[in-house]
Amino acid sequence: AGAAVPEPPAQLDLRLSAATGEALGAFAAARQLTTATAHQAAWGITLARLTGRSDVAFGTTVSGRPADLDGAESMIGLFINTLPVVVHAPARAPLADVAAALQADRAKLLGHEHLGLPDLQRLAGTGELFDTLLVVENFGVDTRGLADAQAAGGLTVRSVRGEDATHYPVTVVVHPGRETRIALRYRPDLVTADRARALGTAYVRVLEALAATPTAPVGAVGLLTAQDRRRVLGDGEAALAPGTEERTGTLPDRFARAVALEPDATAVTDGDRALSYRELDALSDRVAHLLSAHGAGPGTCVALSLEPSAEQIGAILGVLKTGAAYLPLPADAPADRIRPQLASARPATGLTASARRRDGLPATDGSADRPGAGWLTLDDLPPADPGVTPYTVPGISPADAAYVIHTSGSTGRPKGVVVEHRNVLRLLDATDDDFGFGRDDVWTLFHSYAFDFSVWEIFGALLYGGRLVVVDHATTRAPEEFAALLRREHVTVLNQTPSAFHQLADVLLGRETGGGDELTLRTVVFGGEALDPGRLAGWFERYGDDGPELVNMYGITETTVHVTHRTLEAADTDATAVPTSPVGRPLDDLGVRLLDAALHPVAPGATGELYVAGPGLARGYLGRPGLTATRFVADPYGPPGTRMYRTGDLARWTADGELDHLGRADEQVQIRGFRVEPGEARAALAALDEVAD
């Protein structure tokens, strides 16, 4: 009682022109293929292209009359059987080869077509085997027999019409002939009318290509109408024209403005310590003097191995003042982890906390036989003399490298992403209107400086005159203590990976300890991991849409922290409305493309791989031009000479022109925001003497 009654199937009628129908028949005859095979191959190719997979499965109907059963052809009864059809359709394969391979595979299975679908599903052990059905109705109707029957019985049959339906989300019924008719039936509760129209258009496009250019590769078939193509490319286009917001200045320039604006305002809070902008500027000057005397300058990098602290922030600014890029190394990282990073970066020098820590570090050139070589310590800094000459910033270009952050590598070797000053500045400028960061804001430095979320936290605070609160490692792992810090320091801007925020929210909402109303938060920014909006239901129950603004931002290190922006509302927590991670629209100066394996744009609602274009793209991977060329590729939809970054993430356009994140196209996983390639873990395990493979 009370169960919802599903809507009846809707139908979209498709037609092939007479010329296409004849050409398709000629193609099948020339290659000794059945009409059914041609249509099955086309539907499989359509599904492969729309899902971004090389192997797909759908259902079809067969006669179900065993050939070895005498008299089976004359028995009365419905023997029809539904069976899966598997199509292998890689983007490079010729259309005709896909069809030929399909027919060969189907011929091998003819003797088994009486096996029932429930038996197949049980044997496969995977539940449902497909969710679309294609039926080619090529049986004849005995019109003379009908007429004779009428004459004998004195009845008049004026018309004959058959109706049927299936429970599958999409069923395609093909009536081949000189003008092939195709009925695409779909369940409106599962498939929208726009999605059904896109499916039908794509199927017809594949059939036309199979008839006209059967030797063309699968990936070459354009599936979208001109209108849909314009729409999806337009949805992902940057709001700002390329070049209109060319960055000038550098990170030290912007920091100097903040110092001049209010030098005595607190810049960094580190436990019981506080440094004003004037004091932080002086500390970074001392660092810059020390590093420049040891070779740091434009075109070089400086390795840092420091705990989260005010000194860490001063060191980052000091490196940038010399014109060098900073190479952040977690202070607790094992030597074997950082040695290859040092070997690839070849820093001019390194800076760590103490001589004791220095002696446990590999040499700055990555060699294992000279531990500590090339490293300086905080004890080597010039004295904090008020009369010390401020460091004169050399001629730094916006195109100079600001930092090199290493991400996990699929081959077992971490890769260093080189990000420039202008990349970071345009990130802050592009988000300025959305967030309105300013001098009254208090940020937390919650994340490791080896994770690029920290770039957003550090410079989002210090380039706008705000206050940055350093969170020690122990507090980042203790939600109760972190919640107390948020209240005590009156934090207004919080950046969190979803996994960390869910633990914090349990505390703030009083599920583990009381309280929560004293928060001064105005903005919470999510990033680093996919977000499940349904898990925010409790938060919105407490604070509603008028509470702290929750913003989901998608991004990757290679595109400078953030790519998209989506403000969340209570309605987003309905799992039936938003079943995926909504990441919204690209930032104003970035372009987003959702492309298939052949770099064609995908239809609204279809899954595609996400590519990013615009001034957020990093320079590339340090010392690895081959790898850079495979990920930073030419942009076929942008101005000549522009690039786009292939993220490896899957997404789809919604009907509202926003993006839903759907996961990864490869094996990469995220652990508290850190990218981890199983290949790197695999290589580390295989290196152990106790592990053969």
Side-chain angles (χ1 to χ4, degrees), residues 35 39 134-138 172-176 180-183 203:
T35 302
H39 282 277
L134 181 131
V135 179
V136 180
E137 293 192 346
N138 54 1
V172 180
V173 181
V174 179
H175 302 273
T180 302
R181 294 179 295 110
I182 302 171
Y203 183 42

Side-chain angles (χ1 to χ4, degrees), residues 620-621 624-634 643-644 646:
Y621 297 116
R624 302 180 72 174
L627 182 61
T628 298
T630 65
R631 305 303 294 188
F632 295 84
V633 298
R643 303 178 303 160
M644 59 182 184
R646 181 183 182 185

Side-chain angles (χ1 to χ4, degrees), residues 78 184 231 366 416 460 520 539 580 597 610 683:
L78 186 65
L184 190 149
R231 174 186 166 188
T520 54
W539 180 274
T580 54
L610 197 151

Side-chain angles (χ1 to χ4, degrees), residues 14-16 20 46 182 199-209:
L14 312 171
R15 286 187 180 274
L16 292 184
T20 298
T46 302
I182 302 171
L199 278 169
T201 299
Y203 183 42
V204 170
R205 290 291 180 96
V206 174
L207 285 169
E208 290 172 342

Side-chain angles (χ1 to χ4, degrees), residues 254-276:
R254 293 280 185 98
F255 177 66
R257 287 189 214 168
V259 174
L261 191 64
E262 200 166 349
D264 294 321
T266 302
V268 178
T269 300
D270 178 11
D272 295 332
R273 303 167 55 211
L275 293 184
S276 68

Side-chain angles (χ1 to χ4, degrees), residues 498-535:
S499 57
F501 181 78
H502 295 322
Q503 298 177 56
L504 174 66
D506 284 341
V507 175
L508 295 176
L509 296 176
R511 293 173 185 168
E512 296 178 13
T513 61
D517 295 333
E518 310 90 332
L519 287 177
T520 54
L521 287 175
R522 72 176 183 89
T523 302
V524 178
V525 176
F526 299 112
E529 296 171 343
L531 172 72
D532 175 5
R535 296 193 63 181

Side-chain angles (χ1 to χ4, degrees), residues 223-535:
L223 302 185
L224 300 186
T225 64
Q227 179 182 359
D228 281 341
R229 182 183 174 89
R230 285 193 299 269
R231 174 186 166 188
V232 295
L233 290 176
D235 282 344
E237 206 52 70
L240 301 175
T244 58
E245 293 291 324
E246 190 66 34
R247 288 283 81 70
T248 57
T250 63
L251 291 167
D253 293 338
R254 293 280 185 98
F255 177 66
R257 287 189 214 168
V259 174
L261 191 64
E262 200 166 349
D264 294 321
T266 302
V268 178
T269 300
D270 178 11
D272 295 332
R273 303 167 55 211
L275 293 184
S276 68
Y277 272 84
R278 190 195 312 275
E279 292 168 331
L280 181 61
D281 189 40
L283 172 60
S284 63
D285 280 346
R286 294 165 60 205
V287 172
H289 277 294
L290 173 66
L291 298 179
S292 63
H294 288 81
T300 68
C301 74
V302 172
L304 299 178
S305 179
L306 297 165
E307 297 282 357
S309 60
E311 285 75 19
Q312 185 192 84
I313 305 304
I316 289 172
L317 291 168
V319 173
L320 294 173
K321 283 186 175 184
T322 70
Y326 70 92
L327 172 66
L329 304 171
D332 58 353
D336 287 345
R337 171 72 178 173
I338 64 176
R339 185 176 292 112
Q341 298 180 28
L342 293 169
S344 64
R346 295 280 176 160
T349 187
L351 181 64
T352 190
S354 63
R356 179 180 178 183
R357 172 62 186 159
R358 177 195 62 202
D359 295 342
L361 291 168
T364 52
D365 63 2
S367 59
D369 56 349
R370 298 185 300 115
W375 286 88
L376 303 167
T377 73
L378 294 176
D379 296 333
D380 298 323
L381 291 177
D385 184 350
V388 68
T389 305
Y391 185 80
T392 302
V393 180
I396 309 172
S397 165
D400 282 337
Y403 60 83
V404 179
I405 284 182
H406 281 78
T407 66
S408 188
S410 59
T411 62
R413 176 184 170 193
K415 48 191 184 291
V417 182
V418 183
V419 178
E420 301 170 351
H421 287 258
R422 59 186 176 185
N423 297 142
V424 181
L425 293 179
R426 48 79 17 207
L427 168 67
L428 298 172
D429 292 345
T431 54
D432 198 14
D433 289 342
D434 294 319
F435 293 102
F437 300 136
R439 287 181 287 173
D440 294 331
D441 278 319
V442 180
W443 295 60
T444 55
L445 178 58
F446 181 90
H447 299 93
S448 165
Y449 69 158
F451 175 22
D452 70 334
F453 219 162
S454 66
V455 173
W456 169 256
E457 293 176 310
I458 293 169
F459 297 109
L462 298 182
L463 300 194
Y464 287 93
R467 178 163 66 94
L468 183 66
V469 179
V470 177
V471 183
D472 65 85
H473 182 76
T475 301
T476 64
R477 295 295 184 268
E480 298 89 347
E481 294 180 23
F482 186 48
L485 179 146
L486 296 179
R487 298 187 183 105
R488 182 175 66 250
E489 299 293 345
H490 304 291
V491 172
T492 64
V493 180
L494 175 64
N495 300 276
Q496 291 277 273
T497 59
S499 57
F501 181 78
H502 295 322
Q503 298 177 56
L504 174 66
D506 284 341
V507 175
L508 295 176
L509 296 176
R511 293 173 185 168
E512 296 178 13
T513 61
D517 295 333
E518 310 90 332
L519 287 177
T520 54
L521 287 175
R522 72 176 183 89
T523 302
V524 178
V525 176
F526 299 112
E529 296 171 343
L531 172 72
D532 175 5
R535 296 193 63 181

